[in-house]
Structures are given as C-alpha cells and as structure tokens.
Amino acid sequence: MKKDRPFTHAIDRLGSVGLRPTRQRLALVRLLFENGDRHVTAEQLHREVTEIGVKVSLATIYNSLNQFTAVGLLREVAVETGRSYFDTNTAAHHHFFNDDTGELQDIPGDSVVLSTLPIAPDDTVVESVDVIVRVRNK
Amino acid sequence: MKKDRPFTHAIDRLGSVGLRPTRQRLALVRLLFENGDRHVTAEQLHREVTEIGVKVSLATIYNSLNQFTAVGLLREVAVETGRSYFDTNTAAHHHFFNDDTGELQDIPGDSVVLSTLPIAPDDTVVESVDVIVRVRNK
DNA sequence: CAATAAATTGGAACCATTATAAAAAAATAT
DNA sequence: ATATTTTTTTATAATGGTTCCAATTTATTG
C-alpha cells in the first residue's frame, strides 16, 4: 500500500497544532506542505489556491499564514521591506535571495556556517541568526 | 587647529557624490554622519531634523535617504517587513536586531565570520551577505 | 540679474497588511 | 438530528510606510 492520503495528512497537521480543518486551511496546508520546501508570499499563495479552484479570501490567506507561523508550521523570513515571505522549512537554515527575480531559496544544510557567534549586547539573548546571501542573475 | 568645520564637511560630502548642498540635505547629512555610525528609519530622521528646528518634509526625507543610498553614502538593511533601516556604515559588516526595541546595531568587525561562502545558484553571482542576529531583552 | 535646471513640498495615490463586524461553518450539547 | 455556542471566513474599511505628482521654491548657469 503505497498510496498517500494527503487529505488525512493535512487534517492531521492542522489537528496537531489545534487548528480546525476548514476547507480553506486544508487547501493551504496541502499547497504549502505537499510540495517540498517552499517560500511564498501571501499574494503568491492566494494566486495558487485560486488557480486550483478553491475560493479563499486574501484576509484568510493572511490569517492562516500568521496562524501557521504562530504555531510553528511556518517561519517568516525578512528579505525585503514591503512584503513578507513564509518558509515551510522551520529548521535552522539560511537563504539565497535573488534580487532580480525576488526568488527566495534555501541554502543547503551546512554550506554556510558561522565560525563565531558574536556576544549579544548587554541584557539581551540571541534568538536566531539569519543569513541572507543576495545574488543577481549573471 | 583642532576645530572641526562640520558645515564644510557636509558640503564636501554632498559635492563628492554630485548632490547639491541644499539646506535640507545639509541638515540630514550632518545628523547622519557627524555622530558616528547610525541606523535610522525615515520617521526617526524626520523627527530628529524637526527637533533641531529644521523644516524638511517627509517626502524629502525619503528622497534623500534613497539618493544617499543610490550614491553609496548609505546602505539599506532589511530586518523587518514594513519599515526600512538605513545604515551610515557602508563597509561590509553585520547586525544585531533587537526584536523588542526595534533597535539595529552593528556587530563589531570580525566577531562574526562565515566559514564558508555557499556556491551561488546557477547563473547567479553573490552580491552581498547579510547576517542578522536577532536578540530579545533578558 | 535673467533664464534654466534641480530640489522641495503637501497631498494624493499605492501597496501590503491588519482590523472590523456580519455571515457562514464547525463543534458541542440537547 | 437539531439547536446552541464557538470559531472561522469574508468583504470592506482602515492603517502605515513609501512613492508619485504637479506646483512652487531654490540653486546654478549664462
């Protein structure tokens, strides 16, 4: 029995974080998590979900992206002021950002390593370290 | 003769990049470059220039920040979607960003070093590498 | 000092995002 | 099942940062 049951997966994923499996959320979860690691903006996701014939308002896209992020299903990546990118890979890793295309992409596992972690300013603790390697088309 | 002549400095700095030394730009250049390395948002700078009694419209603040960035006097740093930060230090270096206060601050010279630079995706070249260490108040 | 070019300005426009309040859907209790 | 309660979705308005615009002011050049 090799057949996947994506619907169930999506339901389970939502259930595991305490979010109700609504039609909208299910469609979004499938788009986001059943196609490998992804980096999406709200507009992009809205276009995609609309293309597959599911009607979801932009407001719900934003609500969902924020909820998913709050429960740790997604991670937000700040690369450009103006619009937000959401990454389905929540593990610690870094990014390439193509300034020409606006495309964001994971940097393979350990090909960037910080040799030293700097000492945080007084009375602060390090939360996370983001490395963004900006590239341009040749 | 140790006395500085900041006005002349400001004029020179503008002249060197081919921007006319207007009253507004002079005030902004002085605020930005005569107080060590700084990280400012447009709103912040507008407040500051207003406080010292110089009338500059927000539009001009934005124009100037963008112009200064275009000619290499400033560097833009993307830390949060929503607002832009401008850094008076254009040399290669990295940042601490305090999520609680919104404060951006340079990481001293070499206390963060990337051990490996990852190989850029096909048909792209690396433009720059931004490291942002996010911290929170203890 | 006149003519020309560039910069500044207030306000409208814009864009991504968030808030709001009413309608719809899902969960729960009966 | 059905009624009741709670959560979610939605359209639309509101927001916040930024850019655009046409008119006015300022700086440079002749």
Side-chain angles (χ1 to χ4, degrees):
Chain A
M1 230 117 286
K2 331 189 66 168
K3 190 133 180 297
D4 272 2
R5 299 175 58 195
F7 187 76
T8 301
H9 289 168
I11 282 190
D12 291 350
R13 190 166 328 235
L14 287 170
S16 75
V17 296
L19 289 173
R20 291 186 180 180
T22 64
R23 178 178 61 79
Q24 294 81 337
R25 294 209 271 236
L26 285 169
L28 297 179
V29 164
R30 286 197 217 103
L31 279 173
L32 289 169
F33 300 104
E34 290 172 9
N35 296 289
D37 288 343
R38 303 207 53 195
H39 303 85
V40 301
T41 63
E43 287 291 351
Q44 250 172 56
L45 190 57
H46 187 238
R47 215 178 311 121
E48 288 186 20
V49 81
T50 301
E51 268 163 18
I52 63 170
V54 180
K55 260 184 90 175
V56 183
S57 73
L58 239 193
T60 296
I61 300 282
Y62 278 104
N63 286 340
S64 301
L65 286 173
N66 289 331
Q67 287 160 169
F68 293 175
T69 302
V71 299
L73 247 36
L74 291 177
R75 181 232 271 222
E76 198 176 345
V77 187
V79 274
E80 280 186 315
T81 57
R83 63 188 162 165
S84 290
Y85 282 80
F86 294 86
D87 186 346
T88 59
N89 179 357
T90 55
H93 68 285
H94 304 301
H95 295 97
F96 284 117
F97 180 68
N98 189 319
D99 267 307
D100 290 325
T101 64
E103 197 192 352
L104 187 63
Q105 135 181 210
D106 286 352
I107 294 182
D110 44 13
S111 69
V112 177
V113 185
L114 297 190
S115 54
T116 347
L117 192 66
I119 294 134
D122 282 353
D123 297 312
T124 67
V125 280
V126 173
E127 275 266 298
S128 61
V129 179
D130 291 358
V131 177
I132 293 170
V133 177
R134 291 170 197 279
V135 302
R136 300 211 87 98
N137 287 338
K138 232 182 267 175
Chain B
M1 227 117 288
K2 331 189 66 167
K3 190 129 179 297
D4 273 0
R5 299 174 56 196
F7 188 76
T8 301
H9 289 168
I11 281 189
D12 291 350
R13 186 163 333 231
L14 287 170
S16 74
V17 296
L19 290 173
R20 292 186 179 179
T22 64
R23 178 178 61 79
Q24 294 80 338
R25 294 210 270 236
L26 285 169
L28 297 179
V29 165
R30 286 198 215 102
L31 279 173
L32 288 171
F33 300 103
E34 289 172 9
N35 296 289
D37 288 343
R38 303 207 53 196
H39 302 85
V40 300
T41 63
E43 288 291 348
Q44 249 173 57
L45 190 57
H46 187 237
R47 214 179 310 120
E48 288 186 20
V49 80
T50 301
E51 267 163 18
I52 62 171
V54 179
K55 258 185 91 175
V56 183
S57 73
L58 238 194
T60 296
I61 300 281
Y62 278 104
N63 286 341
S64 301
L65 287 173
N66 290 331
Q67 288 160 168
F68 293 176
T69 302
V71 299
L73 247 36
L74 292 178
R75 182 231 273 222
E76 197 176 346
V77 187
V79 273
E80 280 186 315
T81 57
R83 62 187 164 167
S84 291
Y85 282 80
F86 295 87
D87 186 346
T88 59
N89 179 358
T90 56
H93 68 286
H94 303 300
H95 296 96
F96 284 117
F97 180 68
N98 188 320
D99 268 306
D100 290 324
T101 64
E103 197 192 353
L104 188 65
Q105 137 181 208
D106 286 351
I107 293 182
D110 45 13
S111 69
V112 177
V113 185
L114 295 191
S115 54
T116 348
L117 192 65
I119 294 133
D122 281 354
D123 298 311
T124 67
V125 279
V126 173
E127 276 266 298
S128 62
V129 179
D130 291 358
V131 177
I132 294 170
V133 177
R134 292 171 196 279
V135 302
R136 298 212 89 98
N137 287 337
K138 231 181 266 173

